[in-house]
Amino acid sequence: MNVERTDPTGVTKLAAAERINFAQASTLALHEAMRTDDRVLLFGEDLADREGGGVFKITKGFSTEFGDLRVRSTPISEQAIVGAAVGAAIAGMRPVAEIMLMNFVTVAMDQLINHAAKIRYMSGGQTNVPLVIRTATGAGAGTGGQHSDMLEAWFAHTAGIKVVVPSSPADAKGLLLSAILDEEDPVIFIENTRTYRTMGAAPPPMLRVPLGKANVVREGTDVSVIGYGRPIMDALLVADRLQAEGVSVEVVDLRTVAPFDLETILASVAKTRRAVVVHEAVRNFGVGAEIVASIQEELFSDLKAPIRRVASKFSPVPYSKPLEEAFMWNAEEMYGAIRSTL
Amino acid sequence: MNVERTDPTGVTKLAAAERINFAQASTLALHEAMRTDDRVLLFGEDLADREGGGVFKITKGFSTEFGDLRVRSTPISEQAIVGAAVGAAIAGMRPVAEIMLMNFVTVAMDQLINHAAKIRYMSGGQTNVPLVIRTATGAGAGTGGQHSDMLEAWFAHTAGIKVVVPSSPADAKGLLLSAILDEEDPVIFIENTRTYRTMGAAPPPMLRVPLGKANVVREGTDVSVIGYGRPIMDALLVADRLQAEGVSVEVVDLRTVAPFDLETILASVAKTRRAVVVHEAVRNFGVGAEIVASIQEELFSDLKAPIRRVASKFSPVPYSKPLEEAFMWNAEEMYGAIRSTL
Amino acid sequence: MNPIVEEDERPSEAGAELGPEFFRTVYRKFWLIHRCDERFRAVITSGRASLIYYPVRGQELLAAAMGAVLRKDDYIVTTYRGLHDQLAKGVPIDRLWAEFLGRLDGTCKGKGGPMHITHPETGVMVTTGIVGSGLPIALGLALASQVRGDGRVTVVSFGDGASNIGAFHESLNMASLWKLPVVFFCQNNTYAEHTAYANGTSCAHVVDRAAGYAMRGVRVDGNDPAAMAGAAWAAVEWARAGKGPTLLEADTFRFKGHTIGSSSDYVPKDAIAAAEKVDPLATFRPWMIAKGYATDDQLGLIEGEIEAELDHAVEYGFASPFPPVEELLTDVHGQGVSQ
Amino acid sequence: MNPIVEEDERPSEAGAELGPEFFRTVYRKFWLIHRCDERFRAVITSGRASLIYYPVRGQELLAAAMGAVLRKDDYIVTTYRGLHDQLAKGVPIDRLWAEFLGRLDGTCKGKGGPMHITHPETGVMVTTGIVGSGLPIALGLALASQVRGDGRVTVVSFGDGASNIGAFHESLNMASLWKLPVVFFCQNNTYAEHTAYANGTSCAHVVDRAAGYAMRGVRVDGNDPAAMAGAAWAAVEWARAGKGPTLLEADTFRFKGHTIGSSSDYVPKDAIAAAEKVDPLATFRPWMIAKGYATDDQLGLIEGEIEAELDHAVEYGFASPFPPVEELLTDVHGQGVSQ
Ligand SMILES: Cc1ncc(C[n+]2csc(CCOP(=O)(O)OP(=O)(O)O)c2C)c(N)n1
Ligand SMILES: Cc1ncc(C[n+]2csc(CCOP(=O)(O)OP(=O)(O)O)c2C)c(N)n1
Ligand SMILES: [Mg+2]
Ligand SMILES: [Mg+2]
């Protein structure tokens, strides 16, 4: 019997794995969601099997297993893609639309900001827009100025829309499942092309990670590192290094960037009285600024040192390797920033 | 002789006025710029005389005076409008494109973010994009969820593009003139529909107000209020009120929101050791967050109180009058915030 | 009519369904729209209410005809200039008045306002203030119907000016590829704000663009009750039968400027005069009687009933309270299991 | 050819200008593109350089023909798959190699990279990585020429897939309204990433959309040197004469997948076989000789010269240093009097 026929997506085998990577986490979450709720629809450029199952192959086999009605490749028409998701969501479906790379949301901002985010409010709560936009981005792979941006701060600044950035494959899977199956709000789910092949522990089937709750990934007492996404992995390494030097670092992973879990942040900083905020997006007017501003407002007299930010530099993403390296946040800067608070 | 023929824009009369409003400030600046530099082109929806000279009548008479080659009404095609501005700027012109209301930039973000802001950088400095986007917005006139947003934080988070929000007619005129005639970078110039008829002193002809420099509108010693745009007018009134109560408030108007004049901000706060940041955009992840984060980073041990933010609430802009009033920042909140720092 | 429509697809003037009763329904909707539009303009001009209003004077008939063709559970998406579409689809007039006035009993608790009327019970799913943005959303509504096989049709209204924005193009292409049950209803009132059709749109008729999407394209005189109803009926049935989308362009006119209070100096006098000659407000009533679809008395009765309904609606709207301030921060997010 | 082009507007195979010398220029560009593409693929496949590269194998001729028709000061805008356009327009090969490799001597100091080649001296004004976004920018370049009356033409290249995005629509409409001197050069290589033409585009040919903008539309066999050069020549002259834009669709094929290293499983074998039969790489050289435009020796000489140029360019590229880290924060802003 043909394996492709019985398990076109390969998830049966994947589901048994003890470790999975970020790409596989998305595949598993999408598959479990599709199986659980037939209102879940997938569409985006090239993602059906006729087109090879997506440029990152995350949805390979899905159109074969779930059919062409529920899984569709689209033309290069991001406004139509997001708009179709908005309409389908209002009509009671749970569309998961893919915007191949995050810079391409720039052609679909109207649908996301003026419509997806606001329709529930403007209708006085009569209609919901439970859609998920999966998109990918990230610097470090030489994709240059128009294919690498982290734009989550724009969405965070918009009431009515949620932003999720996972920092481990298990979180990616659990958060994506929650976003698709449990949310009534539009969710932007940001994957990182640089870590698609990065492995981590596989969570049990159908395990959801709720949105809106931060995760204290590592407990510590001297300083809080608060962030999300890829830099959390570096933060854990830096924390190890500092542990060896006698400094106890707490690492708080927001998981949901907006609306973020201020309570957990404040609890951590109230304890450590020092904080460093980290993210991959450029520093100026980034998500980190809001976190800093909120902390200082609430814990002003508890703080022992200025809150530092570690983020990418304020320029377009350069192509040339050494410039791209210099553009990105790095572990050394994190180390320095943490040290500076002590 | 027909006045319309000799002075179709009416600026001859206007130029003699001692007081002008914000709409007239834009008219005067555009007119002086068009007259000074024939590379200046205007285009946008309805702005030529065949279409009545614009919905706000700011460009009335311009196409008659400067001709149809330099002043054009466009179809409803914001991507084409901004893209045409990008191309014309690269080719050496100084286009001023109008996006009627700020929410409509959401359909043109790609041209602004991926292109206007980055082309200079990505070309290694070979090409400039000296365009100005004039747009208008503002809550308080019952225009609801899709016609009232302040989105300047998005642009501020993008390297390569400048953001200007004037707080007086004189500033509006001077800043717009500089943006058009002197800048090599793309500039977003944000007007406020609610204050188009608000009057102020008229500046002398051709007086430029340079970008990038904040203005200490009122000196004070006890607390710094830092902001831009419409709330600056309220801040001045609140400062009067507090003056009467024995509190000396310094008011710093950023004028250029991005890149902002950190030096002037720090000088002010170093003196007063207390700060309140104000803006019309929603509070969460707004421009204010960056200002707060920057101040606390630089002046941590000088600060006597947490820096407060006064801004609009975090929701879409509601239609119903009482809700819209509750949505907007207000002078009472400003007063309370300032008081809380003392 | 556009050549892309074959002869046998053109509906007869009536079709079985489009008889006297049908046209009496159209008339009722037509008159309701007309009087409601007039009364909005009156409360605004008189200063009793202050709001930005986009008059529909001139476009009553085409919306009434479309509304009469649609099922209650069909979906529509419309724009800021949407009163006619909303009323034709059946939105309760009193709640609509309350919404326009920003009151708690409005369709959207006063939070949306005139540019954002939503009333899912009557299929009014989205009203948008962004030109062209309804079209992509209509794709999704139609997609949901296609997946569920629920037989619903989605009609999205937009203006001539909207045919020049990117969203129009992407939507027609995708709808054609996916054979979605959607009708793209272009109400060509010859102006986009202050820009005359030909100064913004490069082709002679919006429907000329249908060929670029291999889509059924039909142009119809929106002032001709039979032609308009027939074209609406055919486009909706075409979609309902699973044959795919139609670009339906109805010629009409906007008599009262872009928004209330804005001038119309830029509109040539002779264009107005020509439009007045074919204005359904002058022609539709006599046509009903001449056709024998209703007597003068019957129409008078309808008109009287509508006046009473409107009296009630206006009163209801003004009597409704403003929403309490707590409403500012509700409905921003849904509950969701995650929360 | 599209019916919208009248017979007398169609260029003769040659036109006065398109003689032997012209085609030898085309051949030189053609061969340069071909060999340069091969060498990029070789340095990548061999592991000597690591970069994301969009091969142009199959599309050499159409770009060479267009490049030979254009003046040095004409503007072009192209895409990530733009090597052929850039070389045909005359970008120095050595600096182009340096840019692809991220080096300081690159056209953009290594800061733009392969997706963003800019070289104003040869008229390469923008290379974009966003599908469709070059078209609105081309409007502006052409607008500047129109205002200045400088006689320049702007050619913007894009793919078949790009014809489905909103920016395409807005741009063609505006260009037609304003009669801009621009050529919309659609290189239809039958795929948009992994999506075959007909699965993304609802009309039979991209050029079918020209009528929706009342625009001159021409479809040409991009593998036929005379037809391609003639169509390019006619479109450019049309624009230069102030008659307005053309939508020029050239049929071609993409032989090496979307990016280097990505599979092409989804392309049917017979489509590849059919394309191979008309591949200019097999047909153009014999055609030149058969036409008497060049001898085998002459072409061999050209090929030899190009090989030497390329040897130099590759060496130059690899020898150039990486930009110093200070370059990260330069060029973000211009100077401007305000600063
Ligand atoms: C994207 C966008 N651009 C501009 C506007 C401002 N605007 C509102 S209505 C309108 C004219 C629309 O004309 P048309 O599509 O013909 O519809 P009509 O108003 O005639 O019904 C414009 C330009 C807008 N709302 N959205
Ligand atoms: C707005 C946008 N959406 C998606 C992409 C991803 N993408 C890059 S190339 C491409 C296919 C383009 O196809 P086509 O226009 O035919 O050009 P070709 O690559 O065949 O030259 C896609 C979808 C993009 N770069 N920009
Ligand atoms: Mg119109
Ligand atoms: Mg292609």
Side-chain angles (χ1 to χ4, degrees):
Chain A
M1 216 163 141
N2 189 325
V3 179
E4 293 251 320
R5 276 285 222 26
T6 53
D7 184 19
T9 62
V11 294
T12 309
K13 205 171 138 221
L14 206 54
E18 272 172 30
R19 293 176 67 76
I20 56 171
N21 65 31
F22 278 87
Q24 292 165 334
S26 290
T27 298
L28 284 168
L30 291 171
H31 195 269
E32 288 175 8
M34 292 286 288
R35 228 172 28 195
T36 305
D37 188 337
D38 60 15
R39 296 173 305 169
V40 179
L41 309 176
L42 301 189
F43 45 89
E45 290 155 18
D46 296 319
L47 60 68
D49 289 334
R50 190 180 58 189
E51 286 74 33
V55 281
F56 301 118
K57 304 284 175 220
I58 284 169
T59 52
K60 191 163 173 308
F62 277 65
S63 63
T64 302
E65 179 166 343
F66 296 106
D68 294 339
L69 270 184
R70 290 181 66 199
V71 182
R72 306 182 189 211
S73 291
T74 66
I76 310 175
S77 307
E78 279 81 3
Q79 292 190 65
I81 293 170
V82 178
V86 171
I90 291 173
M93 310 305 283
R94 296 197 157 262
V96 182
E98 183 177 309
I99 299 291
M100 194 182 291
L101 291 176
M102 191 162 204
N103 279 79
F104 313 155
V105 300
T106 52
V107 295
M109 289 304 284
D110 164 56
Q111 286 296 335
L112 287 165
I113 299 303
N114 290 328
H115 296 91
K118 293 177 178 169
I119 276 176
R120 179 187 168 81
Y121 189 83
M122 296 193 306
S123 77
Q126 295 175 95
T127 45
N128 292 326
V129 192
L131 62 81
V132 176
I133 304 289
R134 281 183 53 239
T135 191
T137 191
T143 49
Q146 294 181 335
H147 282 56
S148 318
D149 284 341
M150 298 286 300
L151 302 172
E152 66 274 11
W154 295 359
F155 300 100
H157 188 45
T158 307
I161 200 160
K162 294 183 177 175
V163 179
V164 173
V165 187
S167 72
S168 72
D171 274 13
K173 177 165 180 266
L175 288 162
L176 184 52
L177 260 184
S178 296
I180 302 171
L181 295 177
D182 301 334
E183 283 292 320
E184 286 176 21
D185 296 318
V187 178
I188 312 276
F189 186 85
I190 306 174
E191 306 177 4
N192 197 305
T193 51
R194 287 290 279 171
T195 55
Y196 267 146
R197 306 288 156 232
T198 302
M199 305 290 289
M206 290 303 289
L207 186 77
R208 265 103 129 166
V209 175
L211 269 59
K213 281 253 135 261
N215 181 24
V216 179
V217 199
R218 175 190 178 113
E219 294 199 12
T221 51
D222 294 334
V223 50
S224 302
V225 173
I226 301 152
Y228 55 91
R230 185 151 54 127
I232 292 294
M233 302 182 214
D234 298 80
L236 291 171
L237 298 176
V238 171
D240 280 344
R241 178 171 159 200
L242 281 156
Q243 184 75 49
E245 297 171 15
V247 180
S248 165
V249 178
E250 177 146 312
V251 179
V252 180
D253 176 8
L254 295 183
R255 284 178 166 165
T256 303
V257 173
F260 65 74
D261 180 0
L262 183 59
E263 214 176 308
T264 300
I265 295 173
L266 294 181
S268 176
V269 181
K271 177 175 71 177
T272 61
R273 306 178 69 175
R274 295 175 173 92
V276 172
V277 179
V278 299
H279 56 60
E280 172 164 351
V282 296
R283 173 190 161 107
N284 299 28
F285 301 90
V287 163
E290 177 66 37
I291 299 171
V292 172
S294 302
I295 296 173
Q296 77 83 36
E297 202 151 358
E298 300 292 335
L299 297 175
F300 181 77
S301 37
D302 296 314
L303 285 172
K304 296 231 171 153
I307 308 166
R308 298 290 175 197
R309 288 180 284 165
V310 177
S312 295
K313 313 308 173 294
F314 198 51
S315 77
V317 182
Y319 170 70
S320 187
K321 199 80 208 151
L323 299 187
E324 193 185 28
E325 288 297 328
F327 166 82
M328 286 199 288
W329 95 92
N330 64 53
E332 212 45 53
E333 288 167 357
M334 248 185 234
Y335 177 86
I338 296 170
R339 273 270 166 225
S340 83
T341 66
L342 298 171
Chain B
M1 216 163 141
N2 188 328
V3 179
E4 292 252 320
R5 276 283 224 23
T6 53
D7 184 20
T9 61
V11 296
T12 309
K13 206 172 136 220
L14 206 55
E18 272 172 28
R19 293 176 66 77
I20 56 170
N21 65 30
F22 279 87
Q24 292 165 334
S26 291
T27 298
L28 284 169
L30 291 172
H31 196 269
E32 289 176 5
M34 292 286 287
R35 228 173 27 196
T36 305
D37 187 339
D38 61 14
R39 296 172 305 168
V40 179
L41 309 176
L42 299 189
F43 44 90
E45 288 155 18
D46 296 318
L47 58 69
D49 288 334
R50 189 180 60 189
E51 286 75 33
V55 282
F56 302 115
K57 304 283 174 220
I58 285 169
T59 52
K60 193 164 171 310
F62 278 65
S63 62
T64 303
E65 179 166 343
F66 297 105
D68 293 340
L69 272 183
R70 290 181 65 198
V71 182
R72 307 184 187 210
S73 291
T74 66
I76 310 175
S77 308
E78 280 81 3
Q79 292 189 64
I81 294 170
V82 179
V86 171
I90 291 173
M93 309 306 281
R94 295 195 157 263
V96 182
E98 183 177 309
I99 298 292
M100 195 182 291
L101 292 176
M102 189 160 206
N103 280 79
F104 313 155
V105 300
T106 53
V107 295
M109 289 303 285
D110 165 55
Q111 285 296 336
L112 288 166
I113 299 304
N114 290 328
H115 296 91
K118 293 177 178 170
I119 275 175
R120 180 186 167 80
Y121 189 83
M122 296 193 307
S123 76
Q126 295 175 94
T127 46
N128 292 327
V129 192
L131 62 81
V132 175
I133 304 289
R134 280 182 54 239
T135 191
T137 190
T143 49
Q146 295 181 334
H147 282 56
S148 318
D149 285 340
M150 298 287 298
L151 302 172
E152 64 276 11
W154 296 358
F155 300 100
H157 189 44
T158 306
I161 200 160
K162 294 182 177 176
V163 179
V164 173
V165 187
S167 72
S168 74
D171 274 12
K173 178 165 178 265
L175 289 162
L176 184 53
L177 261 184
S178 297
I180 301 172
L181 296 177
D182 302 333
E183 283 292 321
E184 287 176 21
D185 296 318
V187 177
I188 312 277
F189 186 86
I190 306 175
E191 305 178 5
N192 197 304
T193 52
R194 287 289 278 170
T195 56
Y196 268 145
R197 307 287 156 231
T198 302
M199 304 290 290
M206 289 303 290
L207 187 76
R208 265 104 129 166
V209 175
L211 269 59
K213 280 252 136 261
N215 182 24
V216 179
V217 197
R218 176 191 178 112
E219 294 199 10
T221 50
D222 295 334
V223 50
S224 303
V225 173
I226 302 151
Y228 55 93
R230 185 151 53 129
I232 292 294
M233 304 182 213
D234 298 81
L236 291 171
L237 298 177
V238 171
D240 280 345
R241 177 171 162 201
L242 281 156
Q243 184 74 50
E245 297 171 15
V247 180
S248 167
V249 178
E250 177 147 310
V251 179
V252 180
D253 176 6
L254 295 184
R255 284 177 166 166
T256 303
V257 174
F260 64 75
D261 180 0
L262 183 60
E263 213 176 308
T264 301
I265 295 174
L266 295 181
S268 176
V269 182
K271 175 175 68 176
T272 62
R273 306 180 67 176
R274 295 176 175 90
V276 173
V277 179
V278 300
H279 56 63
E280 173 165 348
V282 296
R283 173 189 161 107
N284 300 26
F285 301 91
V287 163
E290 177 65 37
I291 299 171
V292 173
S294 301
I295 297 173
Q296 76 84 36
E297 203 152 357
E298 300 291 334
L299 297 176
F300 181 77
S301 36
D302 296 312
L303 286 171
K304 295 228 168 155
I307 308 165
R308 298 289 174 198
R309 287 180 285 166
V310 177
S312 295
K313 314 306 173 294
F314 198 51
S315 77
V317 182
Y319 170 69
S320 187
K321 199 79 209 153
L323 300 188
E324 193 186 26
E325 289 297 327
F327 166 82
M328 285 198 288
W329 95 93
N330 65 53
E332 213 44 53
E333 288 167 357
M334 247 184 235
Y335 177 86
I338 296 170
R339 272 270 167 225
S340 82
T341 65
L342 299 171
Chain C
M1 292 270 176
N2 186 283
I4 211 167
V5 188
E6 278 128 50
E7 202 53 46
D8 63 348
E9 295 162 12
R10 293 191 200 169
S12 66
E13 179 178 303
E17 294 82 348
L18 312 186
E21 205 189 309
F22 172 85
F23 280 106
R24 283 195 294 274
T25 303
V26 174
Y27 189 82
R28 176 177 286 277
K29 292 179 186 293
F30 166 85
W31 193 255
L32 171 62
I33 294 165
H34 168 55
R35 288 296 300 144
C36 191
D37 175 65
E38 280 203 323
R39 292 187 75 156
F40 272 124
R41 284 186 279 118
V43 296
I44 295 165
T45 333
S46 70
R48 196 171 165 209
S50 157
L51 57 109
I52 296 161
Y53 174 67
Y54 300 82
V56 298
R57 182 66 275 288
Q59 304 182 207
E60 304 89 349
L61 176 64
L62 53 85
M66 180 59 87
V69 157
L70 291 175
R71 295 195 326 215
K72 188 177 174 192
D73 69 344
D74 285 333
Y75 293 140
I76 72 161
V77 178
T78 184
T79 73
Y80 50 91
R81 194 184 316 286
L83 179 75
H84 53 333
D85 293 331
Q86 292 142 7
L87 290 175
K89 194 66 178 52
V91 175
I93 322 166
D94 47 4
R95 303 211 38 215
L96 192 130
W97 269 83
E99 187 63 30
F100 270 60
L101 298 172
R103 308 302 172 104
L104 186 59
D105 297 302
T107 49
C108 312
K109 300 194 264 180
K111 295 163 91 162
M115 270 200 271
H116 305 298
I117 300 297
T118 303
H119 193 254
E121 285 119 273
T122 54
V124 179
M125 303 308 283
V126 173
T127 299
T128 181
I130 308 294
V131 167
S133 297
L135 286 82
I137 297 176
L139 297 177
L141 294 166
L143 176 64
S145 292
Q146 187 182 61
V147 171
R148 289 192 293 238
D150 63 16
R152 280 191 177 105
V153 171
T154 298
V155 176
V156 53
S157 294
F158 55 97
D160 45 300
S163 74
N164 299 313
I165 201 158
F168 166 91
H169 179 68
E170 296 188 7
S171 301
L172 270 74
N173 183 56
M174 196 185 273
S176 176
L177 283 174
W178 292 358
K179 279 198 153 212
L180 294 175
V182 59
V183 177
F184 296 103
F185 188 21
C186 180
Q187 305 184 8
N188 185 343
N189 62 12
T190 77
Y191 276 87
E193 291 206 341
H194 307 181
T195 300
Y197 176 86
N199 295 329
T201 314
S202 52
C203 52
H205 302 288
V206 173
V207 78
D208 296 343
R209 292 183 170 162
Y213 313 103
M215 184 182 294
R216 183 172 180 270
V218 177
R219 179 167 158 243
V220 67
D221 179 354
N223 298 322
D224 176 334
M228 182 63 228
W233 180 84
V236 170
E237 287 311 305
W238 184 264
R240 205 174 319 277
K243 294 185 189 168
T246 296
L247 173 58
L248 175 61
E249 176 179 15
D251 290 334
T252 181
F253 196 75
R254 190 197 69 186
F255 280 101
K256 295 288 170 189
H258 178 60
T259 56
I260 189 158
S262 72
S263 100
S264 299
D265 304 349
Y266 48 85
V267 183
K269 294 257 176 315
D270 54 350
I272 299 172
E276 276 166 356
K277 283 213 193 92
V278 291
D279 183 359
L281 189 57
T283 61
F284 188 30
R285 201 178 196 283
W287 183 88
M288 285 292 290
I289 296 169
K291 278 275 176 190
Y293 287 168
T295 63
D296 182 62
D297 281 357
Q298 283 175 313
L299 296 180
L301 206 67
I302 291 176
E303 290 155 6
E305 285 168 10
I306 282 170
E307 219 53 35
E309 281 179 49
L310 267 171
D311 287 343
H312 159 74
V314 178
E315 205 175 310
Y316 179 92
F318 279 104
S320 174
F322 284 103
V325 162
E326 304 77 67
E327 280 291 340
L328 174 63
L329 295 176
T330 65
D331 302 321
V332 177
H333 285 293
Q335 291 309 310
V337 180
S338 283
Q339 296 209 307
Chain D
M1 291 273 176
N2 186 281
I4 211 167
V5 189
E6 279 127 49
E7 201 54 43
D8 63 350
E9 294 162 14
R10 292 194 200 168
S12 66
E13 178 178 306
E17 294 83 347
L18 312 186
E21 203 187 311
F22 172 85
F23 279 107
R24 281 195 296 273
T25 305
V26 175
Y27 189 82
R28 177 177 286 278
K29 290 178 186 296
F30 166 83
W31 192 256
L32 171 63
I33 294 164
H34 167 55
R35 289 296 299 145
C36 191
D37 175 66
E38 279 203 324
R39 292 187 75 155
F40 271 124
R41 285 187 278 117
V43 296
I44 296 165
T45 334
S46 70
R48 196 170 165 210
S50 156
L51 58 108
I52 296 162
Y53 174 66
Y54 299 83
V56 297
R57 181 69 273 288
Q59 303 181 208
E60 303 89 348
L61 176 64
L62 52 84
M66 180 59 86
V69 157
L70 291 174
R71 293 195 329 214
K72 187 176 176 194
D73 69 344
D74 285 333
Y75 293 140
I76 72 162
V77 178
T78 185
T79 73
Y80 51 90
R81 193 183 317 286
L83 179 74
H84 54 331
D85 293 331
Q86 292 141 6
L87 290 175
K89 194 64 177 57
V91 175
I93 321 166
D94 47 4
R95 302 209 39 216
L96 192 130
W97 269 82
E99 188 62 30
F100 270 60
L101 298 172
R103 308 302 171 105
L104 186 58
D105 297 301
T107 49
C108 312
K109 300 195 263 180
K111 294 162 94 162
M115 269 200 272
H116 305 298
I117 299 298
T118 304
H119 193 255
E121 286 119 272
T122 54
V124 178
M125 303 308 283
V126 174
T127 298
T128 181
I130 309 293
V131 167
S133 296
L135 286 81
I137 296 176
L139 298 176
L141 294 166
L143 176 64
S145 292
Q146 188 182 61
V147 170
R148 290 192 291 237
D150 63 15
R152 280 192 177 104
V153 171
T154 298
V155 175
V156 52
S157 294
F158 55 97
D160 44 301
S163 74
N164 299 313
I165 201 157
F168 166 92
H169 179 68
E170 296 188 7
S171 302
L172 269 74
N173 184 56
M174 194 183 275
S176 176
L177 284 173
W178 290 358
K179 279 199 152 209
L180 294 176
V182 60
V183 177
F184 296 104
F185 188 21
C186 180
Q187 305 184 7
N188 185 343
N189 62 12
T190 77
Y191 275 86
E193 291 207 342
H194 307 181
T195 299
Y197 176 86
N199 296 328
T201 314
S202 52
C203 52
H205 302 288
V206 173
V207 78
D208 296 344
R209 293 183 169 160
Y213 313 102
M215 184 182 294
R216 181 169 182 273
V218 177
R219 180 167 157 244
V220 67
D221 178 354
N223 298 322
D224 176 333
M228 183 61 228
W233 180 83
V236 169
E237 287 311 304
W238 186 262
R240 202 169 327 271
K243 295 185 188 167
T246 297
L247 173 58
L248 174 61
E249 177 180 13
D251 289 334
T252 180
F253 197 75
R254 189 197 72 187
F255 280 102
K256 295 288 170 189
H258 178 59
T259 57
I260 189 159
S262 72
S263 101
S264 300
D265 305 348
Y266 48 85
V267 184
K269 294 257 174 321
D270 53 349
I272 300 173
E276 277 166 355
K277 284 212 192 92
V278 292
D279 181 0
L281 190 56
T283 61
F284 187 31
R285 199 177 198 282
W287 182 89
M288 285 292 290
I289 296 169
K291 279 275 178 190
Y293 287 167
T295 61
D296 182 65
D297 279 358
Q298 284 174 313
L299 297 181
L301 204 68
I302 292 176
E303 290 156 5
E305 284 167 11
I306 282 170
E307 219 52 37
E309 280 178 50
L310 267 171
D311 286 343
H312 159 74
V314 177
E315 204 176 312
Y316 179 92
F318 278 105
S320 173
F322 285 103
V325 162
E326 303 78 68
E327 281 291 339
L328 174 64
L329 295 177
T330 66
D331 303 320
V332 176
H333 285 294
Q335 292 310 310
V337 180
S338 284
Q339 296 209 309

